[in-house]
Amino acid sequence: MSAPTNFTLWRRMRDEGLAVPFGWLSLSSYQWLSEDPCPLDLVPGSWSADATGATAGGLRGVGLRDHPG
């Protein structure tokens, strides 16, 4: 394969990978989670994180759901 063909294939695969549901292009905000629950911009609830993962509180009735996987 030629270099232009390789690049075109790589670019198409990269664009498809970025655009998958819950992929990088679905981000609306990139914020740091502290260990103490606190509000974040653009999302409801109070959020925190530790070595085991992220935790959200105060979300009853806001319509958020877990993403499988």
Side-chain angles (χ1 to χ4, degrees):
M1 247 186 251
S2 69
T5 301
N6 281 338
F7 176 78
T8 301
L9 178 60
W10 171 84
R11 182 63 187 251
R12 184 171 43 98
M13 291 172 51
R14 179 179 179 271
D15 289 347
E16 289 172 3
L18 289 172
V20 298
F22 302 104
W24 278 105
L25 294 180
S26 69
L27 291 177
S28 62
S29 177
Y30 189 78
Q31 301 178 54
W32 191 263
L33 298 178
S34 70
E35 291 184 2
D36 299 318
C38 60
L40 297 176
D41 295 336
L42 304 175
V43 291
S46 294
W47 297 80
S48 62
D50 59 23
T52 62
T55 303
L59 297 177
R60 179 167 287 155
V62 297
L64 293 179
R65 57 188 169 85
D66 288 336
H67 170 58

